[in-house]
Amino acid sequence: MNSAVKNILKILLIGLAATIVRIIGQLFIPAGEQTVLAPSVFAQNGTMPLVFTVYGIFAYSLIAALFLLIRNRLGGNRILQGLKYGLSCCVVWIAYLLEPLPHVAAIDRITYPAADSLALIAMGLLLGWLFGKTKRWKRCCGVC
């Protein structure tokens, strides 16, 4: 198996792991009442957990793949690189989730960003571990 296929499988595995962490975080969020929006077709026919799981795997895998584009520009060891990436994704994701919506309960403005942040940090740590680049210092001639 060539390295491109191995990398794709690793990215999908990271997407799956992040989705599992997100599902575990979701289990700790109390169920709330929704007053503005009608239930979707997936909620009505009971396929929402399956649909969101598949969606989560693809979404987290695509977010994870972006790490491959910037990993050479991140400093620190491999785990620190992944942590930096995961935390930067958290900042963007939380800013997105804090958009004021009329149907969101006050507690959901805390619990959903927390659950998503756990998944993104776990994703970042796995990315750093599997794809981080260890930087080697070059010896200087003493002039610089």
Side-chain angles (χ1 to χ4, degrees):
M1 199 177 328
N2 64 17
S3 65
V5 173
K6 286 182 184 179
N7 286 344
I8 290 170
L9 291 176
K10 285 180 189 178
I11 290 290
L12 287 172
L13 178 69
I14 291 170
L16 175 65
T19 302
I20 291 170
V21 170
R22 175 62 173 90
I23 290 170
I24 291 169
Q26 179 80 26
L27 293 175
F28 289 104
I29 297 174
E33 294 286 326
Q34 188 170 353
T35 58
V36 176
L37 300 175
S40 70
V41 172
F42 302 114
Q44 291 174 352
N45 65 16
T47 59
M48 182 153 355
L50 176 64
V51 170
F52 270 118
T53 300
V54 172
Y55 169 75
I57 292 169
F58 285 114
Y60 284 121
S61 295
L62 290 173
I63 294 168
L66 292 174
F67 178 79
L68 299 176
L69 298 174
I70 66 164
R71 66 182 171 176
N72 292 330
R73 295 186 177 131
L74 293 172
N77 63 26
R78 293 170 18 171
I79 299 299
L80 189 58
Q81 291 171 5
L83 187 61
K84 286 178 184 179
Y85 182 72
L87 288 173
S88 64
C89 289
C90 287
V91 169
V92 172
W93 201 263
I94 289 171
Y96 161 74
L97 287 177
L98 292 180
E99 177 184 358
L101 296 173
H103 67 282
V104 175
I107 190 71
D108 290 345
R109 293 179 190 185
I110 297 169
T111 56
Y112 280 94
D116 290 337
S117 293
L118 285 175
L120 290 168
I121 290 170
M123 178 195 72
L125 290 172
L126 285 170
L127 283 167
W129 178 53
L130 293 173
F131 290 107
K133 293 284 187 173
T134 304
K135 305 231 184 212
R136 300 195 185 252
W137 293 95
K138 294 180 183 176
R139 290 197 167 236
C140 182
C141 62
V143 177
C144 33

